[in-house]
């Protein structure tokens, strides 16, 4: 049979393969009907093309799974990561702390809160079980009370699995048959044999330096296997002691729900605690549940494994800190690091790590200490002092005026406004709210304009807000806010707070670089309406005599009714009236010796708003700053709709 | 529709196809080759007996008459069958010019007598195929 002189073998699609086969057959004359769908030849070609397509797909998948970059199956990625010395992080249980005050009958010398004492907590109507992972001794105090503070409980359930070693079974594996096991909670005890009850506890060799493990060390190693389960392996006589025939392995581990149990803060015991019923003790929450995280995702593992290999378990560069912390703590949503030489003020010898946890704004003090002690101190250069800083949230406020054509608008104005609001929020949620993510002005305005074809144009301005969270009310403290861009003099103001004299005060700038606290009368500044006209002038200003005026719109040609606008300014301990300073060129605001007694709105923060000189500029966050917006703030997204029919 | 590697004119090509029964030739022992009108007849039967979604990657090819055979024996069902057969042949058998399709219900035998008359292109003589369609359980 004469054959076509060109055989195309690179196509993978069914139709292309079939077409190639037809071309191949066109060079012969014995079977001519391959062109017609009803012919037997066509059916035969379908089968051949289908088979070739099937094999091509299989070969393609096989090729993809051979490399970490292109692998899509978790088992493949885990296997590749294993070669780089990286094991995926397992699920981690949320951890809370409880305080107990016991009142037992009699005067026992001590009480014991047993391991695996169970508690329940509810989140959104769903119950989660918490347990103690170790027993706690509660001694009788000198005054006869029994108090246990900070008793740690973890979300989950303790499970056990037992294996008997059979050295003749070459296929024997020691598998933890649960996908949601916390590998940190695994405890392995090995009994010599059924007749010899000598029990030895094995340690996790995966957490040790492999070069330090001797041939007699009782260690086990953990590796993730198929279906997100874990397999334990033991020493081979060179690295770690080997198992013997008849050994009985007792494995204990916690199975947890992960991050979903974070924020649980009310706990009740399901049975007795230290042998006492609820009427004999008082339990309070010392720290709400925190630190729970889900199993490391395949994407995260693909991203981190090469970086961890590059870091070699040593934190030297900024990326090393990021890679190591992201690997160890899967409850981190965003992280950035910077050296002390970039800090303000400069602090040589330090490295600052800013972390935003998942589902929360900041880590608890205990969590931060644990990160420093258990992770960073194990890996970083000895002369460098690590410090974890909380993220500083830089709130953006948007004011948009949208001109639209009501005749081409297929919905009503309210719906269009809602859609524009959704467009803005979608853009913000996808493009900011993490460290080092800039706000870019033009993509936002493009998204607003693209919301509907009825929108003719829009004009958006951006204002800045930051928040002061007084740690303790009535205690003097200093605060720094960086707005990172030039701001207009006379446009800085804060929300209201109560001073030590019981009056309501507000922070404003005086247009010449000072921050002052001004007293409010009857809830508004000097009983005048606070007019905000940032486009044409100042909200507050200092006149030629040095007097601060505020509460009404002023500009250079409109000095009206000045005398009624005189304000009381808070007198500081040193006799001055300055609460701080503001640099209008850099946007840096420093507030010193500030001691509000309470906050008028009842919130935990004082919000400070500044108006930038350029309201249409991109904004880059600085160091630990995260650009964000407050969906609950009515000033966060303000949309003015203007109908244009012409 | 099929993309033809050669024009349909019989001056250029003849029709020859595999016999999917794969019976060997009694003398040579080779696979039997169906030629010209016989090849077309076999193609017509294949198309009618193919259900939609049966061919890989080409769910549109087929007549779907199997489902219709389980409907009640009635003149309307015969019309539906006739329409299905006409559609699949018009779409996927470019070598014929349909003359007529007759579908007659046979309620005693729970099936239909089908007669298809067509004229192969470039061969000016009518060809008739007859077969009986009945459902298989």
């Amino acid at each position: 049979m004469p054959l076509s002189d060109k055989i195309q073998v690179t196509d993978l699609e069914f139709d292309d393969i079939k077409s190639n086969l037809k071309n191949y057959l066109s060079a012969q004359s014995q079977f001519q009907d391959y062109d017609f769908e009803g012919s037997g030849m066509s059916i035969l070609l379908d089968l051949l093309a289908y088979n070739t397509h099937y094999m091509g797909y299989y070969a393609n998948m096989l090729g993809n799974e051979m490399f970490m970059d292109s692998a899509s199956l978790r088992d493949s990625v885990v296997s590749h990561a294993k070669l780089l010395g990286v094991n995926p992080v397992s699920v981690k249980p949320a951890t809370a702390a409880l305080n107990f005050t016991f009142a037992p009958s009699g005067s026992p010398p001590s009480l014991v809160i047993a391991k695996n004492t169970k508690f329940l907590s509810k989140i959104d109507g769903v119950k989660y079980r918490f347990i103690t992972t170790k027993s706690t001794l509660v001694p009788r105090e000198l005054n006869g009370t029994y108090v246990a503070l900070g008793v740690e409980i973890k979300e989950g359930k303790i499970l056990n699995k037992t294996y008997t070693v059979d050295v003749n079974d070459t296929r024997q594996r020691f598998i933890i048959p649960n996908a949601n096991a916390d590998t940190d909670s695994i405890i392995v005890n090995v009994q010599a044999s059924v007749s010899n009850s000598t029990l030895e506890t094995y340690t996790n060799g995966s957490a040790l330096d492999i070069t330090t493990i001797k041939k007699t060390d009782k260690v086990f190693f953990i590796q993730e296997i198929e279906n997100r389960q874990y397999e334990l392996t033991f020493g081979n006589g060179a690295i770690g002691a080997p198992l013997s025939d008849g050994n009985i392995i007792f494995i204990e581990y916690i199975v947890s729900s992960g991050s979903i149990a974070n924020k649980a803060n009310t706990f009740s015991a399901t049975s007795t605690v230290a042998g006492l019923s609820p009427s004999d003790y008082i339990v309070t929450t010392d720290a709400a549940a925190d630190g729970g995280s889900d199993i490391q995702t395949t994407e995260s593992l693909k991203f981190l494994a090469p970086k961890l290999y590059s870091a070699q378990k040593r934190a030297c560069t900024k990326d090393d800190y990021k890679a190591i912390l992201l690997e160890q703590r899967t409850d981190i949503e965003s992280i950035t690091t910077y050296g002390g030489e970039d800090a303000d003020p400069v602090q040589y010898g330090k490295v600052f790590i800013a972390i935003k946890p998942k589902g929360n704004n900041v880590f608890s003090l205990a969590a931060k200490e644990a990160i420093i002690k258990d992770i960073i101190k194990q890996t970083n250069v000895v002369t460098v002092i690590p410090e974890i800083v909380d993220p500083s949230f830089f709130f953006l406020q948007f004011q948009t005026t949208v001109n639209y054509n009501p005749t081409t608008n297929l919905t009503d104005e309210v719906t269009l406004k809602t859609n524009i609001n959704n467009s803005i929020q979608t853009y913000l949620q996808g493009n900011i709210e993490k460290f080092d993510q800039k706000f870019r002005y033009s993509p936002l305005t493009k998204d607003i304009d693209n919301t509907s074809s009825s929108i003719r144009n829009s004009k958006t301005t951006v204002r800045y807000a930051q928040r002061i969270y007084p740690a303790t009310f009535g205690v003097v403290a200093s605060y720094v806010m960086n707005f990172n861009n030039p701001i207009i003099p006379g446009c800085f103001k804060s929300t209201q707070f109560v001073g030590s004299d019981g009056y309501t005060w507000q922070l404003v700038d005086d247009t010449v670089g000072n921050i002052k606290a001004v007293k409010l009368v009857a809830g508004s500044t000097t009983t005048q309406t606070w007019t905000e006209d940032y486009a044409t002038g100042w909200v507050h200003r200092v006149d030629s005599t040095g007097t601060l005026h505020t509460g009404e719109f002023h500009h250079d040609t409109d000095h009206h009714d000045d005398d009624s606008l005189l304000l009381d300014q808070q007198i500081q301990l040193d006799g001055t009236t300055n609460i701080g300073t503001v640099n209008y060129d850099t946007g840096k605001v420093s507030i010193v010796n500030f001691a509000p007694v309470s906050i008028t709105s009842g919130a935990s923060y004082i919000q400070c708003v500044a108006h930038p000189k350029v309201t249409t500029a991109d904004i880059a966050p600085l160091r630990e700053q995260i650009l964000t917006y407050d969906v609950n703030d009515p000033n966060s997204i303000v949309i003015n709709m203007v109908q244009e029919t012409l | 529709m099929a993309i033809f590697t050669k024009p349909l004119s019989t001056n250029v090509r003849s029709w020859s196809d595999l016999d999917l029964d794969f019976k060997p030739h009694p003398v040579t022992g080779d696979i039997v080759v169906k030629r010209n009108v016989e090849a077309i007849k076999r193609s017509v039967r294949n198309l009618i007996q193919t259900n939609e979604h049966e061919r890989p990657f080409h769910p549109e090819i087929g007549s779907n008459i199997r489902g219709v055979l389980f409907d009640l024996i009635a003149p309307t069902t015969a019309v539906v069958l006739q329409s299905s057969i006409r559609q699949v042949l018009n779409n996927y058998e470019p070598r014929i010019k349909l003359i007529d399709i007759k579908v007659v219900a046979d309620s005693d035998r729970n099936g239909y007598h089908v007669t298809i008359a067509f004229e192969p292109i470039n061969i000016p003589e009518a060809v008739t195929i007859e077969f009986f369609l009945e459902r298989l359980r």
Side-chain angles (χ1 to χ4, degrees):
Chain A
M1 189 192 303
L3 301 177
S4 170
D5 58 348
K6 289 180 183 174
I7 301 174
Q8 182 78 13
V9 293
T10 53
D11 290 317
L12 291 172
E13 294 299 326
F14 176 87
D15 286 331
D16 296 334
I17 295 166
K18 190 172 174 185
S19 174
N20 291 337
L21 290 171
K22 283 183 182 179
N23 281 336
Y24 175 78
L25 287 172
S26 66
Q28 53 84 47
S29 58
Q30 194 166 4
F31 296 105
Q32 294 272 356
D33 283 6
Y34 45 82
D35 271 343
F36 308 105
E37 301 299 345
S39 67
M41 281 300 287
S42 179
I43 292 168
L44 199 63
L45 291 185
D46 275 345
L47 282 174
L48 289 170
Y50 178 59
N51 187 52
T52 307
H53 175 78
Y54 195 102
M55 294 307 291
Y57 177 82
Y58 181 72
N60 183 50
M61 283 297 292
L62 197 65
N64 282 345
E65 296 303 317
M66 287 172 71
F67 303 96
M68 183 180 272
D69 286 338
S70 52
S72 55
L73 298 177
R74 181 180 179 88
D75 291 351
S76 308
V77 176
V78 168
S79 178
H80 290 303
K82 213 179 285 177
L83 293 178
L84 299 176
V86 177
N87 259 322
V89 182
S90 71
V91 68
K92 299 290 173 210
T95 305
L98 301 179
N99 295 334
F100 293 91
T101 304
F102 296 101
S105 56
S107 305
S110 64
L111 299 171
V112 175
I113 304 172
K115 177 182 175 181
N116 205 12
T117 303
K118 300 176 182 67
F119 299 85
L120 281 181
S121 183
K122 268 188 183 177
I123 302 175
D124 297 333
V126 180
K127 285 181 185 172
Y128 294 95
R129 182 195 296 206
F130 285 73
I131 48 164
T132 53
T133 55
K134 58 186 176 189
S135 61
T136 304
L137 186 72
V138 188
R140 183 170 178 265
E141 302 286 339
L142 290 175
N143 59 6
T145 58
Y146 300 82
V147 177
L149 300 176
V151 176
E152 194 179 83
I153 55 173
K154 290 181 183 289
E155 186 274 325
K157 188 178 182 183
I158 294 179
L159 296 177
N160 295 282
K161 180 76 183 168
T162 305
Y163 288 99
T164 302
V165 177
D166 180 0
V167 293
N168 296 319
D169 182 0
T170 53
R171 293 186 301 171
Q172 186 175 32
R173 299 173 78 186
F174 308 114
I175 292 170
I176 294 174
N178 288 87
N180 294 318
D182 168 23
T183 52
D184 288 346
S185 70
I186 295 173
I187 298 171
V188 177
N189 290 304
V190 178
Q191 184 178 320
S193 66
V194 177
S195 56
N196 182 351
S197 60
T198 308
L199 205 63
E200 286 190 286
T201 301
Y202 278 52
T203 52
N204 183 358
S206 304
L208 303 174
D209 181 352
I210 195 80
T211 59
T212 64
I213 299 174
K214 297 191 287 289
K215 63 181 179 183
T216 53
D217 287 346
K218 310 288 187 188
V219 291
F220 64 91
F221 303 93
I222 306 167
Q223 60 178 0
E224 186 181 319
I225 55 168
E226 57 274 8
N227 302 324
R228 302 185 181 200
Q229 295 178 347
Y230 296 94
E231 180 182 11
L232 302 189
T233 54
F234 292 82
N236 59 0
I239 298 172
L243 293 172
S244 305
D245 195 30
N247 281 170
I248 302 169
I249 304 168
F250 298 100
I251 306 167
E252 180 187 296
Y253 56 97
I254 291 178
V255 170
S256 167
S257 308
S259 61
I260 200 167
N262 283 341
K263 295 188 180 177
N265 59 7
T266 310
F267 302 93
S268 58
T270 58
S271 58
T272 59
V273 178
L276 301 175
S277 58
S279 58
D280 295 330
Y281 65 83
I282 298 168
V283 58
T284 55
T285 303
D286 183 34
D290 191 14
S293 60
D294 302 324
I295 193 168
Q296 187 173 14
T297 61
T298 309
E299 291 71 28
S300 166
L301 188 58
K302 282 172 80 170
F303 175 75
L304 279 176
K307 293 174 177 58
L308 286 166
Y309 181 67
S310 161
Q312 292 286 318
K313 294 189 177 176
R314 289 168 181 79
C316 299
T317 68
K318 288 196 288 188
D319 284 343
D320 293 349
Y321 281 96
K322 281 187 196 174
I324 289 168
L325 283 171
L326 284 172
E327 188 241 354
Q328 298 279 327
R329 299 283 302 217
T330 49
D331 55 344
I332 292 174
E333 182 180 314
S334 182
I335 182 171
T336 190
T337 54
Y338 57 93
E341 70 279 9
D342 295 326
D344 183 18
V346 170
Q347 298 179 59
Y348 291 111
K350 276 193 169 183
V351 61
F352 293 91
I353 305 144
I355 308 175
K356 183 189 180 302
K358 282 178 186 165
N360 216 338
N361 285 338
V362 294
F363 270 123
S364 65
L365 194 61
K368 283 191 274 193
E369 285 172 355
I371 290 171
I372 295 273
K373 179 169 163 268
D374 299 337
I375 303 172
I376 299 175
K377 280 288 184 188
Q378 309 298 323
T379 53
N380 82 323
V381 178
V382 285
T383 54
V384 176
I385 303 166
E387 187 172 323
I388 294 180
V389 292
D390 292 331
S392 160
F393 292 93
F394 188 143
F395 292 88
L396 304 180
Q397 297 182 338
F398 300 90
Q399 292 182 313
T400 304
T401 302
V402 178
N403 296 319
Y404 75 102
N405 184 350
T407 55
T408 58
N409 181 26
L410 299 176
T411 59
D412 57 292
E413 184 176 294
V414 175
T415 308
L416 180 59
K417 195 171 175 179
T418 306
N419 292 341
I420 293 168
N421 191 306
N422 290 340
S423 291
I424 296 174
Q425 291 203 41
T426 303
Y427 173 79
L428 297 176
Q429 287 163 8
N431 293 279
I432 59 172
E433 300 198 312
K434 283 187 176 174
F435 292 111
D436 303 324
Q437 285 193 331
K438 288 182 180 177
F439 166 73
R440 298 181 192 277
Y441 180 79
S442 67
L444 174 69
T445 54
K446 192 175 80 181
D447 282 5
I448 293 172
D449 292 350
N450 289 341
T451 303
S452 164
S453 57
S454 65
I455 296 174
R456 288 185 160 163
N457 72 306
S458 63
K459 185 181 178 187
T460 303
T461 57
V462 188
R463 288 168 60 194
Y464 307 159
Q466 291 194 34
R467 292 174 178 176
I468 294 170
Y469 289 85
T472 313
F473 285 108
V475 175
V476 168
S478 298
Y479 305 90
V480 175
M481 287 175 275
N482 280 300
F483 290 105
N484 307 349
N485 284 302
I487 57 176
I488 298 175
C491 290
F492 176 89
K493 69 169 184 176
S494 75
T495 49
Q496 298 169 3
F497 58 90
V498 177
S500 58
D501 56 2
Y503 285 99
T504 302
W505 296 79
Q506 194 160 10
L507 295 176
V508 299
D509 72 306
D510 64 356
T511 72
V512 292
N514 299 308
I515 300 291
K516 294 182 185 290
V518 292
K519 187 190 286 184
L520 306 181
V521 179
S524 64
T525 312
T526 65
T527 71
Q528 301 293 316
T529 305
W530 189 297
T531 306
E532 296 172 345
D533 189 342
Y534 299 103
T536 54
W538 299 320
V539 172
H540 33 262
R541 62 186 290 274
V542 170
D543 68 13
S544 55
T545 65
T547 307
L548 173 67
H549 301 263
T550 188
E552 190 169 336
F553 162 57
H554 293 271
H555 55 77
D556 289 342
T557 59
D558 183 19
H559 295 278
H560 60 86
D561 202 17
D562 283 354
D563 290 341
S564 67
L565 300 171
L566 289 175
L567 295 166
D568 288 335
Q569 294 167 32
Q570 201 170 65
I571 309 295
Q572 297 295 90
L573 293 173
D574 62 0
T576 67
T577 57
N578 293 339
I579 300 288
T581 57
V582 52
N583 185 328
Y584 297 114
D585 293 329
T586 61
K588 182 177 178 181
V589 177
S590 302
I591 295 170
V592 294
N593 298 330
F594 183 48
V597 171
S598 65
I599 294 169
T600 311
S601 67
S604 60
Y605 58 85
I606 297 169
Q607 180 154 295
C608 300
V609 178
H611 200 73
K613 279 185 178 166
V614 181
T615 57
T616 55
D618 295 348
I619 303 163
L622 193 67
R623 293 185 294 271
E624 73 276 13
Q625 281 182 338
I626 291 179
L627 300 180
T628 185
Y629 73 106
D630 185 353
V631 70
N632 298 315
D633 182 352
N635 295 320
S636 184
I637 300 173
V638 179
I639 302 170
N640 301 310
M641 304 296 292
V642 180
Q643 293 189 357
E644 261 192 10
T645 50
L646 290 177
Chain B
M1 287 297 293
I3 299 166
F4 303 116
T5 52
K6 289 180 184 174
L8 289 179
S9 168
T10 47
N11 293 330
V12 179
R13 65 193 294 179
S14 59
W15 318 127
S16 55
D17 192 14
L18 270 178
D19 183 356
L20 285 185
D21 291 340
F22 290 109
K23 285 180 181 165
H25 190 280
V27 179
T28 63
D30 284 347
I31 287 176
V32 174
V33 180
K34 296 272 183 188
R35 295 189 186 280
N36 299 324
V37 173
E38 284 306 308
I40 296 174
K41 278 181 173 177
R42 176 52 67 99
S43 172
V44 167
R45 291 172 73 104
N46 283 344
L47 283 171
I48 292 169
Q49 288 173 4
T50 302
N51 248 5
E52 286 179 3
H53 297 276
E54 203 172 279
R55 298 277 285 270
F57 294 91
H58 283 289
E60 74 281 4
I61 297 175
S63 64
N64 260 5
I65 61 164
R66 266 183 237 168
V68 181
L69 292 176
F70 282 86
D71 289 348
L72 288 175
I73 301 274
T76 50
T77 313
V79 171
V80 173
L81 272 176
Q82 189 183 34
S83 168
S84 296
I85 292 169
R86 184 183 302 280
Q87 190 174 309
V88 72
L89 294 181
N90 282 339
N91 285 343
Y92 299 108
E93 189 44 270
R95 294 173 293 184
I96 62 169
K97 199 169 114 187
L98 270 176
I99 299 171
D100 194 16
I101 299 174
K102 277 186 182 164
V103 179
V104 180
D106 183 348
S107 55
D108 293 336
R109 293 173 62 195
N110 282 328
Y112 299 87
H113 292 283
V114 179
T115 308
I116 302 170
F118 60 86
E119 196 174 278
I121 57 168
N122 297 334
I123 303 175
E125 62 182 47
V127 177
T128 304
I129 310 176
E130 288 182 29
F131 51 91
F132 185 73
L133 284 177
E134 63 182 335
R135 60 194 177 204
L136 297 173
R137 291 174 192 280

